[in-house]
Amino acid sequence: MNDSTQKTPPTVGLFVTCLADLMRPSVGTAAMKLLGDAGCQVYVPISQTCCGQPAYNAGDLPDAREIAMQVIGDFAELDYVVAPSGSCAGMIKVHYPRLFENDPDWLEQAEELSARTYELMSFLNDVIKELEIFGDYAGTVTYHDSCSGLRELGVKQQPRNLMSKVPGLKLVEGAEAEACCGFGGLFCVKYPDISEKIVDAKVDDILATGADTVLGGDLGCLMNVAGRLTRRGSDVNVRHVAEVLAGTTGLAPPIGHPKPKVKG
């Protein structure tokens, strides 16, 4: 007999992101665990690729629109689309409607997808709300607010609310937590000297906190910060916040650290 009071789990399509797919699969694993722990039915459309942001930022709007059309089709029929990245979620949520502002048929679909799309921390905190956290972390962390997550999507307090539920974790805020890290996608390629100055200022702020770990919600920023910390001889760990919340830090070393050698 069916229990009519039992709610149907929401269906969530995980937008894995290029960087998680190619550089840090443990972030996708952690996101899937968090969404599963939240009671969601998680789907990962195998045909998904990029969100189109590199083409969009480079001014290649025809290719950006073509990629967006595929994403719209890949994630149709799902209740929500969730990305462990403010940058990719911002592209879908904010910029897809702009891409199709002169195409009424596709604009309607882009706006419909936009309304169902969330950055991971925002989804867990604002939509799920009552999430049991299974991770623990014995350390002092500081948090880097990525530009897209903070300024395009308003993601600020959500990761902090979730981190406050992690046993053992102590958060120390940097004075410049909201400052850019200098990554900016193509920006760091086109203007490496400026980018290096910006990330050095970010690293100075991180080191001033005395934290042993930097957490954030965007792999592009985290890889940029981890690279600069390493080149400056720092042993501060860098991780995506999803890995800590999910309790899956054992699956991968901190970003930029070598994998432990397997004894033969």
Side-chain angles (χ1 to χ4, degrees):
M1 180 180 294
N2 291 330
D3 181 355
S4 59
T5 63
Q6 190 172 12
K7 293 183 179 178
T8 302
T11 57
V12 174
L14 178 64
F15 189 85
V16 176
T17 80
C18 297
L19 290 180
D21 182 32
L22 298 173
M23 307 298 291
R24 189 79 175 174
S26 58
V27 173
T29 302
M32 286 190 66
K33 182 177 186 304
L34 287 167
L35 293 170
D37 290 346
C40 303
Q41 291 184 15
V42 186
Y43 297 86
V44 186
I46 197 167
S47 56
Q48 67 175 293
T49 57
C50 177
C51 67
Q53 186 179 177
Y56 183 74
N57 288 347
D60 183 1
L61 300 188
D63 276 340
R65 274 191 283 269
E66 187 171 341
I67 295 168
M69 289 176 184
Q70 177 170 336
V71 173
I72 289 170
D74 287 342
F75 289 89
E77 309 299 331
L78 294 164
D79 295 327
Y80 300 100
V81 178
V82 175
S85 160
S87 180
C88 299
M91 179 65 197
I92 297 171
K93 195 170 188 68
V94 178
H95 298 288
Y96 274 17
R98 294 176 181 172
L99 270 175
F100 297 106
E101 58 186 1
N102 296 319
D103 185 334
D105 291 339
W106 279 101
L107 175 60
E108 182 178 359
Q109 296 180 66
E111 290 178 333
E112 192 275 334
L113 179 65
S114 168
R116 295 187 283 117
T117 299
Y118 290 84
E119 183 272 344
L120 177 63
M121 296 299 108
S122 174
F123 181 76
L124 295 174
N125 185 79
D126 301 340
V127 178
I128 298 299
K129 297 181 180 177
E130 298 298 328
L131 175 67
E132 184 175 2
I133 298 294
F134 293 97
D136 60 67
Y137 197 76
T140 301
V141 312
T142 191
Y143 194 85
H144 166 65
D145 295 295
S146 69
C147 292
S148 293
L150 176 67
R151 288 177 249 285
E152 286 188 332
L153 304 177
V155 178
K156 173 68 178 181
Q157 193 56 42
Q158 295 93 331
R160 290 166 172 80
N161 290 346
L162 295 167
M163 286 188 292
S164 71
K165 299 179 181 180
V166 178
L169 185 151
K170 178 184 177 183
L171 175 66
V172 179
E173 294 284 7
E176 302 293 336
E178 296 184 358
C180 177
C181 73
F183 177 62
L186 293 176
F187 177 83
C188 67
V189 178
K190 295 171 67 177
Y191 307 103
D193 292 342
I194 300 173
S195 176
E196 185 177 295
K197 295 288 186 184
I198 296 173
V199 74
D200 261 333
K202 169 59 68 174
V203 165
D204 287 343
D205 188 59
I206 290 167
L207 295 176
T209 67
D212 54 60
T213 302
V214 185
L215 299 181
D218 265 276
L219 269 175
C221 303
L222 296 172
M223 291 169 60
N224 190 40
V225 169
R228 196 60 188 161
L229 282 166
T230 299
R231 287 192 290 275
R232 289 179 51 169
S234 170
D235 59 359
V236 172
N237 296 323
V238 182
R239 286 187 177 277
H240 194 287
V241 64
E243 297 174 339
V244 171
L245 295 175
T248 58
T249 56
L251 295 179
I255 296 170
H257 287 213
K259 293 181 180 179
K261 293 183 179 178
V262 178
K263 296 180 179 179

